[in-house]
Amino acid sequence: MRYEVDFLVVGSGIAGLSFALKVAPYGKVCILTKGDAAEGSTRYAQGGIAAVMYDSDSFDKHIHDTLVAGDGICDREVVEMTIREAPDRIRELVQYGVNFDREGGGERFDLHREGGHSEFRILHHKDNTGEEIERGLLEAARRHPNIEIKERQFAIDIITQHHLGQRVTKHTPGIECYGVYALDCDTNRIDTYLAKVTLLATGGMGNVYSTTTTPVISTGDGVAMVHRARGVLADLEFMQFHPTSLYNPAEKPAFLITEAMRGAGAVLKDRNGKEFMQKYDERLSLAPRDIVARAIDNEMKLSGKDYLYLDARGIGKKHLIEGFPTIYAKCLSIGIDITRDMIPIRPAAHYQCGGIKVDRNGESSIKHLYAAGECSCTGLHGGNRLASNSLLEAVVYAHNAAMSAIDTVKSVPFKSEVPDWNAEGMVLNEEMVLITQTKRELQEIMWNYVGIVRSDLRLQRAFDRLNLIFRETEDLYNRSVLTEPLSELRNLIACAYLIIKMARARRENVGLHYSLDLIVKKV
Ligand code: FAD
Ligand code: SIN
C-alpha cells in the first residue's frame, strides 16, 4: 500500500505525541508505532520532569546543574534555551490534560529532588509520572481529527535518493527524506509512506545491553535507520547506566527504583549495611548518575557480589507508601517490604545521551527529517544527562521541531517517483532461534566489554566479536523475508557498532565514558 501524509511521525512516546499535537492543525498527521501506542520508555518514567517553576529556584541553578552533570561538554546555548523554555512546555502538558502532584491538593506543584540537582524541581505524578504523561498525551492525540495512530507498524528504513537509484554516501550533499518504508506486523506487508516532513521519535537503545530498565521496544531503530541513510550521529559512547534498578535477575526489563527515593533520603549501602559513597563523592548518594553507577560497579567488583542495597527505611512508612506506591507494591510482590527491608539494587543500561544529531529546530543532517526525544542528540546532555532532563528535552524539541516543520511543509512536494519495497527472491525465515540467540550474545558482549567501565582491550574484543555477529546477521537478512525481530536485531547490531566506534574514538574519560586506559579528565 502507498500512503501520503503531510507529517509522518515514527513513535508514540512523549516526543512523537507532543510533536503530532502541535502540527495537527496544519495538515494530516500519521503516527506509526511498532507496538501498542502506549508502549515505550515514556510510560515507565518514574521520577518526573525537571523545570524551574518558582522563584525559590532559578534558571541559572538548573543550567549550572545540567552543565556540571554533562561534565563540561554540553552545548551551553542549548542548555540555556531548553531550561528557559521548560515552564511554558510544562504548562502545555497540563493543558493537554496531564496531572502533576500539587502540594496539599492546592495550586503549587509538589517538587521532588534527584541526583545532581541543587534544588527541589522535579514535577511528578507520584512515582508513575511517565504513565500519566503518556495517558494525557495519547488521549489528546486520539481526540484530534487530523491525527491517525497506526499501531504495529514497524518503520524499516527512511526513504532517500538511495531508493531512487542514486549513490548516497555520508559525503553526499543534500540528502533528503521522502518518508519511510514500514512493515505491517499483522500482514507482513511492507508499505510505502510518503511524507513532506518526517519526525523520528523512536526512543532509546537500552536493549543493546543484557540488563536494562528500558522496554523491549527500545532497540535503537531510529538511530540505525539514520546510520543506514548516511545521516550524522553523535555522542553514542555516552550510554547512561541508572545506579538503582531492582535486583531481580529473571525480570526483563529491570524494574527501576527512582532516584527521587534518594532525593527523599534513601542511602546506598554495601552488603554489610555500611554506607560507601563517602569514598567516591562528597554529594554521597545524590552525586550525578555516572559517579554513583561507577561507585556501585566498583563496590560490586571489590566484593564479588551481584547487588548492593538501597536503604529507604529512614524515609518513613507513610511517605514511602503514599509517595512511592508503585515501588512499594512492586517490591512487596517479590517479598521485600521497603518500609522494613533494604532494597537489593544494581545498575542497568537506562538512557542513550547520544543519537541523531539535530540542530536547534530538531532538524537532522537529512533534509525534511526531524528527530526528537531519546533518539536525538541535541547537545543538552553532554557527557551525562542530568536526571529528569530527558522528558523535558523531548517536549522542548518536539515544540521547536513542530514550529520549523509547520513552515517547511508548505514548500515540500511528495516524491511520487519513490518505488515500493522490493521483496522479490526472499525466502521465509523459519529459524527464530538464530535471531534470539544472536541478540543474547550481542547483549552479553556489550554488557561485559562496553559497560560502565571500559578498556582498549575490552572494546577491541567487543568489536571483533561483533564483526562475526554482523556478518552472520547480514547473510540472514539477505536471504530472509523481513520480520520485526530480524530488523530489530540488525538495528541493535548497528547501534552496538556505533557505540564501540565512538567509545574508541573518545580519548579521554569524560562523563559516562570511562576507560581504564585513559586519563581522568578532572583532578
Ligand atoms: P519512547 O517513549 O521510548 O517511545 C518510542 C516510540 O517509538 C514507541 O512508541 C515505539 O513503539 C516507537 N518506535 C520505536 N522504533 C520504531 C519503529 N522502528 N517503527 C515504529 N515505531 C517505533 N526521563 C526523565 O526525564 N524522567 C524520568 O523520571 C525518567 N524515568 C525513566 C524511567 C525508566 C524506567 C526509563 C526506561 C526511562 C526513564 N526516563 C526518564 C527516560 C525517558 O523516559 C525517555 O528518555 C523518554 O520517555 C523517551 O521518550 P521518547 O518519546 O523519545 O521515546
Ligand atoms: C528516575 O526516576 O530515577 C529516573 C529519572 C531519569 O531517568 O531521569
Side-chain angles (χ1 to χ4, degrees):
M1 299 276 285
R2 284 172 85 83
Y3 302 91
E4 288 187 356
V5 289
D6 298 311
F7 303 96
L8 181 65
V9 179
V10 186
S12 54
I14 186 171
L17 292 172
S18 303
F19 175 89
L21 284 164
K22 297 232 154 182
V23 296
Y26 302 89
K28 202 170 139 197
V29 185
C30 174
I31 303 180
L32 302 180
T33 187
K34 68 178 174 180
D36 294 340
E39 185 60 1
S41 286
T42 300
R43 71 180 279 208
Y44 297 97
Q46 291 185 358
I49 179 163
V52 174
M53 301 303 288
Y54 304 114
D55 290 346
S56 49
D57 193 0
S58 73
F59 288 138
D60 284 347
K61 282 189 189 169
H62 191 183
I63 289 166
H64 179 261
D65 294 344
T66 302
L67 293 172
V68 170
D71 208 3
I73 57 168
C74 302
D75 180 331
R76 193 185 176 103
E77 282 180 26
V78 165
V79 174
E80 296 205 358
M81 181 271 289
T82 306
I83 282 161
R84 287 178 199 282
E85 265 195 39
D88 285 347
R89 304 287 79 83
I90 297 289
R91 283 189 276 272
E92 278 167 5
L93 283 175
V94 173
Q95 277 163 14
Y96 288 136
V98 175
N99 296 304
F100 294 109
D101 287 357
R102 314 258 180 173
E103 276 180 9
E107 276 304 297
R108 198 179 160 91
F109 292 114
D110 180 54
L111 301 175
H112 277 170
R113 186 176 166 204
E114 292 174 350
H117 287 274
S118 56
E119 290 288 344
F120 284 74
R121 64 167 73 96
I122 317 295
L123 291 101
H124 64 99
H125 180 273
K126 301 201 170 13
D127 59 353
N128 64 346
T129 312
E131 199 179 330
E132 172 59 16
I133 292 177
E134 185 69 25
R135 180 205 61 75
L137 291 177
L138 204 48
E139 282 180 14
R142 284 196 165 124
R143 279 195 302 269
H144 204 294
N146 275 1
I147 300 179
E148 183 185 14
I149 302 176
K150 298 181 83 169
E151 297 178 313
R152 299 191 42 73
Q153 306 299 313
F154 185 98
I156 300 164
D157 264 322
I158 57 172
I159 305 170
T160 67
Q161 291 96 323
H162 166 79
H163 299 94
L164 300 175
Q166 293 175 29
R167 188 174 130 76
V168 176
T169 72
K170 62 181 178 186
H171 304 295
T172 304
I175 304 175
E176 292 178 353
C177 172
Y178 308 128
V180 307
Y181 290 117
L183 174 74
D184 181 323
C185 300
D186 294 323
T187 61
N188 278 336
R189 189 185 64 220
I190 296 178
D191 295 326
T192 307
Y193 285 85
L194 297 181
K196 295 180 178 173
V197 165
T198 303
L199 173 89
L200 293 180
T202 48
M205 56 175 72
N207 286 283
V208 162
Y209 290 90
S210 51
T211 304
T212 177
T213 60
T214 63
V216 289
I217 61 100
S218 302
T219 51
D221 299 347
V223 167
M225 283 191 266
V226 169
H227 172 60
R228 285 195 288 275
R230 308 290 185 256
V232 177
L233 303 159
D235 291 355
L236 291 164
E237 66 275 35
F238 299 125
M239 169 58 75
Q240 186 171 70
F241 291 81
H242 197 291
T244 55
S245 76
L246 179 65
Y247 179 75
N248 187 22
E251 185 173 5
K252 273 181 187 252
F255 181 80
L256 184 76
I257 307 293
T258 177
E259 210 161 290
M261 214 167 223
R262 276 176 280 141
V267 287
L268 290 161
K269 293 190 171 168
D270 65 18
R271 290 287 287 271
N272 300 315
K274 286 211 171 66
E275 291 186 39
F276 58 86
M277 276 308 296
Q278 70 282 359
K279 289 190 261 172
Y280 300 92
D281 195 282
E282 61 189 13
R283 290 161 290 186
L284 306 175
S285 293
L286 278 175
R289 240 170 236 185
D290 54 337
I291 295 169
V292 180
R294 267 199 302 276
I296 294 176
D297 185 66
N298 195 43
E299 290 290 319
M300 280 170 47
K301 288 203 171 106
L302 286 174
S303 61
K305 306 288 186 195
D306 290 345
Y307 62 88
L308 302 181
Y309 288 118
L310 182 70
D311 187 350
R313 295 172 296 186
I315 293 176
K317 190 168 180 170
K318 186 170 181 313
H319 187 170
L320 275 177
I321 295 175
E322 286 174 8
F324 302 97
T326 315
I327 295 175
Y328 175 72
K330 170 72 196 182
C331 290
L332 211 53
S333 76
I334 57 166
I336 301 163
D337 178 349
I338 63 173
T339 66
R340 289 196 321 219
D341 307 320
M342 293 196 285
I343 309 169
I345 53 89
R346 67 171 167 183
H350 179 64
Y351 181 84
Q352 175 53 262
C353 296
I356 303 159
K357 185 78 190 136
V358 294
D359 65 14
R360 228 53 66 78
N361 292 324
E363 197 167 12
S364 74
S365 62
I366 299 176
K367 278 170 121 181
H368 314 143
L369 180 71
Y370 292 79
E374 192 168 336
C375 69
S376 69
C377 177
T378 64
L380 175 71
H381 309 310
N384 176 39
R385 173 179 68 100
L386 182 65
S388 288
N389 264 358
S390 87
L391 294 173
L392 174 62
E393 182 193 50
V395 281
V396 168
Y397 272 82
H399 169 83
N400 292 3
M403 295 306 113
S404 170
I406 289 164
D407 211 35
T408 304
V409 81
K410 295 177 199 150
S411 55
V412 180
F414 292 115
K415 200 76 173 174
S416 43
E417 58 267 44
V418 165
D420 285 336
W421 182 269
N422 181 2
E424 262 175 37
M426 304 291 187
V427 292
L428 194 63
N429 167 43
E430 288 166 354
E431 296 194 84
M432 189 60 193
V433 64
L434 295 180
I435 296 173
T436 49
Q437 187 51 33
T438 307
K439 185 170 161 189
R440 248 181 249 137
E441 276 175 49
L442 169 81
Q443 291 170 332
E444 287 303 323
I445 291 168
M446 291 301 286
W447 184 261
N448 290 323
Y449 301 134
V450 198
I452 297 172
V453 175
R454 301 159 180 180
S455 73
D456 288 346
L457 184 63
R458 289 179 198 179
L459 293 177
Q460 179 66 50
R461 190 162 286 193
F463 188 77
D464 293 343
R465 304 283 190 277
L466 197 67
N467 246 325
L468 179 64
I469 286 180
F470 169 75
R471 285 201 305 274
E472 287 171 356
T473 307
E474 284 309 287
D475 184 48
L476 196 61
Y477 170 74
N478 289 328
R479 289 186 290 114
S480 309
V481 166
L482 198 55
T483 59
E484 185 179 356
L486 179 55
S487 210
E488 284 186 340
L489 176 61
R490 287 183 80 221
N491 291 341
L492 286 169
I493 292 172
C495 290
Y497 162 77
L498 290 161
I499 293 172
I500 297 171
K501 185 176 154 205
M502 293 192 196
R504 291 173 91 181
R506 175 76 61 184
R507 296 315 296 165
E508 66 174 354
N509 282 332
V510 57
L512 295 153
H513 177 64
Y514 184 86
S515 165
L516 297 170
D517 293 314
L518 300 176
I519 51 145
V520 181
K521 183 175 160 268
K522 287 189 290 187
V523 204

